[in-house]
Amino acid sequence: VQSGKYQYSQYALPYMMNPRLMFVNVSLLKEEGLNVPEESWTPEQFLALCRQLTRDLNHDGTPDQYGVVDYDWLDLAEASGLDLFSDDGHNVDLRGDQVRKVTETYRQLTEFMGSQTEREVLMEAGRVAFAPMSYAEFITYNPWPWKVKKYSGFDWICISLPQAADRTIRYAGNSLVMGMSAGTRDGELAWDLMKEFCVNQTTQTGILEHSQGMCVLQTDKSLLDAFLDDSGLSGDTVRAIMNQEGTRVRFSKYESAREQLADRMEKAAADPEDLDLQLVEIEETIRSYLRS
């Protein structure tokens, strides 16, 4: 429901969700003598696995097998429970010890990360162990016989993203919401239509069975388990993700501010210069943008 809020007012109802998952190359882990992580794995365990899995197989001085691909600074910040923006959207806080710790950890993680531009090549070749993946991508390319064949040369599954044990867990993913125009002449009909899509159990079950999204309403446990049976994603994982706390308070520049922050923090992580000075400069830049 919070995904349909702007600041503290409700403007829309959730219709379909697209949870964010972690692709796991099970075959690669087995080759390296490693187990699939538990659902409660932490960023520290994630970093340790990526370190073990990154290898220079042909001894040319450059890794050709990687721990992870397409995992960004914001992923790690979310995993650590960082609350960076004020609720009113006028401030950002990067001066805490936790921000420095996350950025230093991300610096280490980039040593075991494949190029984002080569994500598909690395995944299709089975040369990367982990990659964030949306539910929509999973449901399109998972190894069911009646789905599109992709990443079919090895065994893979999806699990939850790593999360700090003491963090306030929030929903990770996107949502499709449905709203009503304030100027509509048919408010009652529009409201009935919104309820048909967003609240009707039969319609919501149809979303699960016939779309690339996850239904918003809780379905019967046995129905979801049967739908996901042998898919490489457990019903318990989906329920755990969907039952997490909602999204953060949105404000007018939320998405663009997050993108700018992520871009600058990733550049800071790649820069050997003084991190404290960089954090001060980034904070001032983002704060000026928010207040402009």
Side-chain angles (χ1 to χ4, degrees), residues 23-254:
F23 161 96
V24 181
N25 185 330
V26 177
S27 297
L28 183 55
L29 289 174
K30 285 183 178 179
E31 289 174 12
E32 297 292 341
L34 299 169
N35 296 322
V36 173
E38 299 289 337
E39 288 286 349
S40 57
W41 62 325
T42 65
E44 291 76 19
Q45 292 169 326
F46 175 47
L47 175 60
L49 284 170
C50 290
R51 180 181 287 112
Q52 290 175 271
L53 288 157
T54 302
R55 293 183 178 276
D56 176 11
L57 299 176
N58 60 8
H59 307 291
D60 66 351
T62 303
D64 36 41
Q65 174 178 295
Y66 296 92
V68 65
V69 67
D70 201 21
Y71 187 86
D72 58 33
W73 183 88
L74 274 177
D75 287 321
L76 190 57
E78 288 289 329
S80 303
L82 291 186
D83 227 341
L84 301 168
F85 298 105
S86 61
D87 288 349
D88 62 9
H90 294 155
N91 202 14
V92 61
D93 182 8
L94 302 180
R95 305 195 186 196
D97 292 339
Q98 190 68 0
V99 175
R100 169 180 257 284
K101 179 182 177 183
V102 165
T103 307
E104 289 176 341
T105 300
Y106 189 76
R107 274 182 172 173
Q108 297 177 57
L109 190 60
T110 56
E111 298 177 23
F112 317 115
M113 192 180 303
S115 169
Q116 184 174 345
T117 58
E118 297 182 356
R119 178 183 188 267
E120 292 304 307
V121 173
L122 291 171
M123 291 178 70
E124 289 182 5
R127 292 193 285 117
V128 63
F130 304 111
M133 175 180 282
S134 71
Y135 175 79
E137 184 179 1
F138 164 81
I139 211 67
T140 301
Y141 297 132
N142 76 73
W144 294 1
W146 58 86
K147 297 291 184 178
V148 178
K149 286 286 187 181
K150 198 167 187 181
Y151 318 133
S152 56
F154 51 88
D155 295 329
W156 62 278
I157 62 172
C158 277
I159 63 174
S160 298
L161 293 164
Q163 297 170 342
D166 58 349
R167 66 163 283 195
T168 300
I169 300 175
R170 295 180 184 268
Y171 169 76
N174 297 314
S175 58
L176 179 64
V177 299
M178 182 174 290
M180 184 195 311
S181 168
T184 182
R185 293 174 296 177
D186 299 298
E188 290 187 10
L189 286 174
W191 178 235
D192 287 342
L193 183 64
M194 287 176 64
K195 289 188 290 184
E196 176 65 32
F197 278 99
C198 303
V199 183
N200 183 282
Q201 189 71 57
T202 301
T203 304
Q204 283 286 304
T205 300
I207 289 172
L208 172 68
E209 297 175 334
H210 304 296
S211 79
Q212 293 175 302
M214 176 56 60
C215 54
V216 172
L217 293 185
Q218 294 286 326
T219 62
D220 179 77
K221 182 178 184 297
S222 59
L223 188 153
L224 180 60
D225 291 344
F227 176 72
L228 294 173
D229 186 39
D230 293 329
S231 72
L233 176 65
S234 76
D236 287 341
T237 295
V238 172
R239 281 186 286 272
I241 294 172
M242 296 292 288
N243 285 327
Q244 291 172 353
E245 186 181 335
T247 55
R248 301 183 189 280
V249 175
R250 302 299 179 103
F251 46 86
S252 61
K253 296 181 178 180
Y254 180 77

Side-chain angles (χ1 to χ4, degrees), residues 273-284:
E273 291 185 7
D274 182 79
L275 181 57
D276 289 326
L277 178 60
Q278 292 184 80
L279 290 176
V280 171
E281 292 175 348
I282 294 170
E283 183 180 87
E284 291 177 351

Side-chain angles (χ1 to χ4, degrees), residues 252-290:
S252 61
K253 296 181 178 180
Y254 180 77
E255 296 296 342
S256 56
R258 286 180 87 249
E259 290 175 4
Q260 287 189 39
L261 178 60
D263 180 63
R264 291 178 179 275
M265 292 303 293
E266 287 174 19
K267 289 178 180 176
D271 191 335
E273 291 185 7
D274 182 79
L275 181 57
D276 289 326
L277 178 60
Q278 292 184 80
L279 290 176
V280 171
E281 292 175 348
I282 294 170
E283 183 180 87
E284 291 177 351
T285 299
I286 300 298
R287 184 182 291 124
S288 295
Y289 171 73
L290 291 171

